Amino acid sequence: MKILSAGQFRELDRFTIEHEPVASVDLMERAAEAVAAEIAARWPQDRRIVVFAGPGNNGGDALAVARLLTGRGYRTLSYLFNIKGTLTEDCATNRDRLAATEGAEWTEVTSQFDFPVIQPEQDIIVDGLFGIGLNKPLNGGFAAVTRRINESKAPVVSIDIPSGLMCEDNSYNDLSHVVRATLTLTMQLPKPAFFFAENRRYTGEWKTLDIGLSAQGIEQARTGFYLSEPEEMKAMLRSRPLFAHKGTMGHALLVCGSYGMAGAAILAARACLRSGVGKLTLHTAHRNLLLLQTTVPEAIVSPDSDGDIITHAIDSTRFQTVGAGPGIGTDEDTATALYDFILQQNTPMVLDADALTLLGRHPGWMQRLPAESLLTPHPKELEALTGHCSDSYERLTKARELAVRHNVYILVKGHYSLICGPTGTVWFNPTGNPGMATAGSGDVLTGLLTGLLAQGYAPGDALRLGVWLHGLAGDIAAERLGEECMLAGDIIEALPQAFKQIKETSSKNIRL
């Protein structure tokens, strides 16, 4: 699914109006009908609908929603803010339609405004003050209105985007003047700002509404941002050849686990083996040997000469790929071993956890990484490579620049984990849940990605599919155990069901 900028959405509206063709006010009516239907499906008719409409087309949407809900038997109270006397044509049309609607209560605000008394248990607020066209922080009277909306404690439904929130970059915004929606009903496609953690308190739950914007226009829109979808994962997932054997399904090497961190090696190894890889070798601290051979008998264990840490690299040219980092520590002898592994590799490798910390200490090593390698930092690990990031938008920007500059893939872990490719393309992943915020979850992902790469998946496909599977397995585990009780091992146990679900189902409900 494409994710478009504010300018591209405006162009898509124009394209739809010109090529369907459809009058702009009729396209507005489609949007209002979809919003009104969603509100009616969620709240009964005994709730009062309080509408705040701005002077632009977002305000026109809101006024049309008020009219339609009045027709459905709701009591509606609407405020149209026309301080400068500059309503858009479609907003003015919907003002006149609302004025002609029997039973609709409304006020056109041109100067002084007395905020209504809101009953949180009785009222639903519809926010239609400003849409995606906003290009500067709210101030003055409109900032005061947003503050009062937020203080009301009533459920808030924002149309398209919460008023005051920019469509993409909010690094320069005054977020104290942004409506905090309970539900955001957005038109056709999600907005980029919806995928950033600090904006969740403003968007609340969000849902896309299909209002019939031109499929041709969407197809022609050029963008570097996408939301991964189930059908894509099903197409990526390979069928195992009928005559497959362990020698044809790839041999992976995992470099993980100093003494005392054998758990990281166990989790990564089990996940790697669950990926479908043919063979797995573990290179780990010598004192982990007995534990690993006992807990992961399917893996070959290559003990380091040092008992406590990894100090040397074995010949890795006979493996299809190398995954390194979980639990290896940050000793300089380990750093030297990691660098030796990097120098040996001529195929993409997976680097996570301590390996990323060591890369941050030796930034020149980035230039020696095999092309299209997979780096999987969480936000703090990313900052070891990019420097401090003030918010999610800057984090995305820096991760994207890093991926392009070094011809690698960067996964920034989190809800809506973002994947930055070496061409500048960015994918957001919708699977996963807060229960996966537990020690070892990243080690599981490292093992899974290493196993997929070893089987011959293209690096971008391995990363996108692996992140999807990891999140989906987490969702399956959360459904069975609850988010609070999940352990990293539960994600591994759910991987078989995740693989089956992708194969058997072309579409799944993903919690947004």
Side-chain angles (χ1 to χ4, degrees), residues 289-344:
L289 173 61
L290 181 59
L291 178 60
L292 288 174
Q293 289 199 313
T294 303
T295 54
V296 195
E298 300 89 348
I300 303 163
V301 181
S302 163
D304 195 272
S305 58
D306 190 280
D308 295 330
I309 62 173
I310 294 168
T311 59
H312 75 274
I314 63 173
D315 177 12
S316 62
T317 58
R318 57 195 174 95
F319 302 99
Q320 275 65 57
T321 193
V322 176
I328 62 173
T330 57
D331 190 277
E332 275 305 305
D333 287 340
T334 303
T336 300
L338 175 65
Y339 187 52
D340 288 342
F341 276 117
I342 291 172
L343 293 180
Q344 288 185 59

Side-chain angles (χ1 to χ4, degrees), residues 201-222:
R201 66 181 301 202
Y202 306 107
T203 65
E205 175 194 354
W206 58 265
K207 181 177 181 178
T208 56
L209 302 179
D210 186 348
I211 62 169
L213 294 181
S214 170
Q216 181 185 356
I218 294 172
E219 178 67 26
Q220 292 181 5
R222 300 184 65 181

Side-chain angles (χ1 to χ4, degrees), residues 72-405:
R72 287 175 175 258
Y74 288 84
R75 180 189 172 196
T76 63
L77 174 63
S78 302
Y79 295 92
L80 169 61
F81 292 87
N82 187 16
I83 308 301
K84 297 181 179 180
T86 55
L87 300 181
T88 64
E89 182 179 351
D90 291 342
C91 185
T93 297
N94 274 298
R95 174 197 59 187
D96 297 342
R97 289 177 177 178
L98 182 63
T101 300
E102 185 177 352
E105 301 176 51
W106 72 283
T107 299
E108 186 165 352
V109 179
T110 57
S111 56
Q112 190 67 29
F113 172 63
D114 293 324
F115 197 88
V117 175
I118 300 294
Q119 301 294 332
E121 302 301 320
Q122 178 63 32
D123 294 335
I124 307 295
I125 292 175
V126 173
D127 160 37
L129 290 171
F130 295 97
I132 61 173
L134 193 69
N135 58 13
K136 60 182 180 180
L138 294 181
N139 56 31
F142 283 117
V145 172
T146 63
R147 287 196 301 270
R148 292 295 299 274
I149 289 173
N150 292 338
E151 291 166 0
S152 73
K153 307 302 182 183
V156 178
V157 179
S158 286
I159 298 176
D160 209 24
I161 193 169
S163 292
L165 191 68
M166 309 298 176
C167 191
E168 295 110 26
D169 181 7
N170 282 274
S171 58
Y172 60 93
N173 202 354
D174 184 346
L175 295 176
S176 66
H177 298 161
V178 175
V179 168
R180 293 197 293 269
T182 310
L183 171 67
T184 299
L185 298 175
T186 198
M187 305 308 154
Q188 204 71 42
L189 298 171
K191 308 305 182 278
F194 294 179
F195 299 99
F196 302 143
E198 57 267 26
N199 296 336
R200 184 68 174 191
R201 66 181 301 202
Y202 306 107
T203 65
E205 175 194 354
W206 58 265
K207 181 177 181 178
T208 56
L209 302 179
D210 186 348
I211 62 169
L213 294 181
S214 170
Q216 181 185 356
I218 294 172
E219 178 67 26
Q220 292 181 5
R222 300 184 65 181
T223 180
F225 298 89
Y226 298 85
L227 178 65
S228 292
E229 298 186 272
E231 294 81 2
E232 296 176 280
M233 301 304 116
K234 186 175 184 180
M236 286 180 193
L237 187 61
R238 298 177 175 183
S239 298
R240 292 173 77 83
L242 187 62
F243 290 94
H245 56 81
K246 66 181 180 180
T248 62
M249 296 308 296
H251 191 173
L253 172 64
L254 280 172
V255 181
C256 46
S258 57
Y259 182 65
M261 294 296 290
I266 293 168
L267 291 167
R270 286 177 172 170
C272 186
L273 290 164
R274 287 292 189 189
S275 74
V277 73
K279 293 187 287 184
L280 168 63
T281 293
L282 282 166
H283 186 64
T284 187
H286 197 285
R287 292 175 72 183
N288 291 335
L289 173 61
L290 181 59
L291 178 60
L292 288 174
Q293 289 199 313
T294 303
T295 54
V296 195
E298 300 89 348
I300 303 163
V301 181
S302 163
D304 195 272
S305 58
D306 190 280
D308 295 330
I309 62 173
I310 294 168
T311 59
H312 75 274
I314 63 173
D315 177 12
S316 62
T317 58
R318 57 195 174 95
F319 302 99
Q320 275 65 57
T321 193
V322 176
I328 62 173
T330 57
D331 190 277
E332 275 305 305
D333 287 340
T334 303
T336 300
L338 175 65
Y339 187 52
D340 288 342
F341 276 117
I342 291 172
L343 293 180
Q344 288 185 59
Q345 284 304 109
N346 56 16
T347 57
M349 60 191 303
V350 182
L351 296 175
D352 183 37
D354 293 332
L356 298 174
T357 301
L358 293 173
L359 272 183
R361 291 181 183 176
H362 304 86
W365 294 2
M366 288 288 295
Q367 300 173 16
R368 306 305 297 268
L369 291 176
E372 299 190 308
S373 288
L374 313 183
L375 280 63
T376 61
H378 57 58
K380 282 297 181 184
E381 289 168 343
L382 178 69
E383 290 188 354
L385 304 174
T386 65
H388 175 68
C389 300
S390 60
D391 60 18
S392 295
Y393 188 83
E394 184 179 10
R395 189 172 297 120
L396 180 152
T397 301
K398 287 186 174 181
R400 194 182 190 193
E401 291 171 350
L402 188 69
V404 172
R405 184 163 65 250

